[in-house]
Amino acid sequence: EIYTLSLHDALPIFLTEFRMNHAKELIAKEHDITISELTEKCGYTSKTYFCALFRKTMGLTVNEYRRRLENER
């Protein structure tokens, strides 16, 4: 069975991807940005939710992602 995403289904997925990409860019540009600042700048109100979503999306916590970037430099 083929499932086609409707705009209603696809919009939250697109928005999450957009926000997570923005978070990755912010982490890369602003090395000392706090999780609270990231949460706010990416359009979320809950740090807990943002961190859980980041980990689910990226497979790493924010700090693990930050360390990985630092190790690549």
Side-chain angles (χ1 to χ4, degrees):
E1 179 177 319
I2 297 175
Y3 178 74
T4 304
L5 286 177
S6 69
L7 181 58
H8 182 264
D9 296 327
L11 188 58
I13 295 168
F14 171 78
L15 186 57
T16 298
E17 288 179 9
F18 180 82
R19 287 173 165 176
M20 292 299 112
N21 285 331
H22 185 58
K24 291 189 316 186
E25 290 173 8
L26 288 170
I27 293 167
K29 290 179 187 174
E30 302 176 33
H31 311 292
D32 59 346
I33 191 167
T34 66
I35 292 176
S36 294
E37 291 171 322
L38 266 177
T39 300
E40 185 178 318
K41 288 183 177 187
C42 292
Y44 294 97
T45 56
S46 166
K47 282 192 316 184
T48 304
Y49 181 70
F50 171 78
C51 288
L53 197 55
F54 189 92
R55 184 173 189 169
K56 179 180 177 186
T57 305
M58 302 303 303
L60 299 166
T61 67
V62 172
N63 288 327
E64 289 169 343
Y65 183 79
R66 188 186 320 258
R67 281 193 295 276
R68 182 174 281 184
L69 283 180
E70 289 171 1
N71 289 338
E72 291 176 1
R73 291 186 182 135

